Amino acid sequence: MTATRGTSVDIPTQDGTADAYLAHPDDQNPHPAVLLYMDAFGLRPQLKAMADRLARNGYTVLVPNVFYRHGRAPLVELPELIDTSERPDLFRQIMPFMQALTPEAAERDAEACLRWLADCPQAAEGPVGVTGYCMGARLALRTAGTHPERVAAVAGFHGGRLATDSPDSPHLVAGRVTAEAYFGHADQDPSLPPEQIERLEKALTEAGVRHRCEVYPGAHHGFAQADTSDYDAEATERHWTELLALLDRAL
């Protein structure tokens, strides 16, 4: 574990400027880069703390506000602990941001973030890792599929709608993924029912992607987010073990 530094940065994109958080070891050396995609609740202290933990393990981590087209984070006022009872009202505010983030827009943003990391003095040359949570797991998988030459490791945790019947479902990029992949699913997750888990597994297997997909028993959607009522400490530590092992192997 090392001392880290976290700063706010701006990422130029084709559609404007995305605010973001950058965490890295507090030394003069470049470190392997990781792009961390947020969940629907956005760029906030919880995600910054997760980026800091990755940085303490030797990585330079970029967390973009993918809702930047609607303003800088925070876009909605969040309680200290996001409880189930408060989610309907929060999602009424957040849903328009999510719907506006089309696959095409997300791909443009991924290109901008990867380009920014390539020029970042704190980021080492070479491949990057990508990880995401909830909706961020979809973004992570898309990024691995659209930038196979840059992404060597991709992970997603309590991801939703990863393998739908939609013609633009994230799992359809599996044939272009060259990264090693790991997905940790929540078994109490209506946004990723068993048939989608099976469809994702099949797509990755048929594409020849080196991967593991695991269901975390008893874990709910959002298990890795300590500022929500679905936080599960045991599942979260398992996620850290798997994520760090993946990054250590691939980067």
Side-chain angles (χ1 to χ4, degrees):
M1 295 292 186
T2 60
T4 64
R5 181 181 296 272
T7 56
S8 296
V9 298
D10 286 337
I11 311 296
T13 79
Q14 293 185 45
D15 301 324
T17 300
D19 51 310
Y21 179 73
L22 181 73
H24 56 87
D26 192 12
D27 57 24
Q28 303 302 311
N29 301 315
H31 295 270
V34 176
L35 178 57
L36 190 159
Y37 282 120
M38 63 187 225
D39 60 359
F41 296 126
L43 180 56
R44 61 194 192 280
Q46 165 62 21
L47 292 184
K48 293 178 180 180
M50 297 175 80
D52 291 345
R53 180 162 176 174
L54 280 174
R56 288 196 297 273
N57 281 273
Y59 296 97
T60 290
V61 188
L62 181 67
V63 191
N65 166 26
V66 301
F67 294 155
Y68 70 91
R69 293 172 180 85
H70 305 273
R72 300 179 72 87
L75 288 172
V76 299
E77 185 176 350
L78 297 172
E80 187 172 334
L81 179 68
I82 304 169
D83 189 77
T84 303
S85 63
E86 296 167 300
R87 293 188 181 209
D89 180 62
L90 288 173
F91 271 99
R92 275 192 290 272
Q93 301 175 66
I94 294 169
M95 192 56 67
F97 311 150
M98 296 178 65
Q99 292 171 339
L101 187 62
T102 64
E104 295 77 17
E107 289 175 15
R108 292 196 299 272
D109 292 348
E111 182 178 358
C113 289
L114 292 173
R115 185 172 58 247
W116 191 91
L117 282 170
D119 295 333
C120 175
Q122 291 84 16
E125 294 182 3
V128 306
V130 184
T131 187
Y133 301 83
C134 304
M135 60 167 272
R138 299 196 296 273
L139 299 176
L141 180 53
R142 287 191 190 282
T143 299
T146 53
H147 296 277
E149 75 289 351
R150 290 294 311 281
V151 180
V154 58
F157 298 93
H158 48 77
R161 299 182 58 78
L162 289 171
T164 69
D165 294 324
S166 170
D168 60 2
S169 175
H171 80 287
L172 297 176
V173 306
R176 302 197 298 272
V177 173
T178 58
E180 181 180 351
Y182 178 88
F183 289 90
H185 307 307
D187 72 351
Q188 305 293 315
D189 192 347
S191 71
L192 195 74
E195 59 268 24
Q196 287 197 40
I197 293 175
E198 293 172 8
R199 189 177 293 145
L200 175 63
E201 174 74 36
K202 181 180 179 183
L204 293 170
T205 299
E206 291 182 348
V209 177
R210 182 184 177 190
H211 73 280
R212 269 194 303 138
C213 296
E214 298 183 318
V215 177
Y216 289 18
H220 292 258
H221 184 80
F223 64 75
Q225 305 303 320
D227 59 352
T228 77
S229 56
D230 286 326
Y231 175 65
D232 184 315
E234 181 177 351
T236 296
E237 287 309 308
R238 178 178 176 182
H239 127 273
W240 281 118
T241 297
E242 297 294 351
L243 176 59
L244 289 169
L246 171 68
L247 297 174
D248 288 349
R249 285 194 303 272
L251 301 185

